[in-house]
Amino acid sequence: MDAVIETAWTVPAVKAALEETSLVREGELTARVLEGADPVLLVTMHEYGDLPIYLSVGGAQIVCSVLLWPVSEQSDTARFNEFLLKAQRVVPLSNFAITTVGDQDVYELMGELSSKTTLQTILIELRTLAENAIDATSLRDTFAA
């Protein structure tokens, strides 16, 4: 069973921990806090083509997400969406969603963690989500064929 920490993470605390830990490989990622109503951590995964991952903390959970592509660009969206709902295991430890950005619906890949999980588990989630986002892109291309 995964160990937990006593105090729940905050976005600034995750940023500071990522910058100080030896668990992050040199040049693997950079993290920047985006201020807003609730701060969000933008983690740029350099080993995955500078893939942006957004990390937020709220209540009992940490949510990590990657914006994929506009729903309007997916051929046969109804069939693709049905496929995603039936094939949850295509991208392990991640879930597909549709979120609205501006006035456009966008596919999103996300993972959730306890806000009291270890930094090592947060790093595993970031790396897994990055890999799954790359896999999801190839799934999009395969599905369109």
Side-chain angles (χ1 to χ4, degrees), residues 7-62:
T7 304
W9 287 103
T10 63
V11 166
V14 173
K15 178 186 184 295
L18 288 173
E19 292 174 345
E20 296 167 6
T21 185
S22 62
L23 296 172
V24 173
R25 296 183 291 270
E26 185 176 335
E28 178 180 12
L29 60 83
T30 54
R32 179 170 60 104
V33 175
L34 305 177
E35 295 296 342
D38 292 313
V40 173
L41 188 64
L42 170 59
V43 179
T44 304
M45 302 294 290
H46 301 298
E47 293 182 359
Y48 295 91
D50 291 338
L51 180 73
I53 296 179
Y54 299 91
L55 181 148
S56 60
V57 179
Q61 72 176 0
I62 295 172

Side-chain angles (χ1 to χ4, degrees), residues 86-97:
K86 288 182 176 179
Q88 282 289 334
R89 292 170 197 87
V90 172
V91 285
L93 304 176
S94 299
N95 299 302
F96 279 95

Side-chain angles (χ1 to χ4, degrees), residues 99-116:
T99 191
T100 303
V101 177
D103 61 350
Q104 188 171 41
D105 285 345
V106 177
Y107 286 107
E108 179 179 29
L109 197 61
M110 57 195 331
E112 298 89 10
L113 303 164
S114 165
S115 61
K116 291 187 175 183

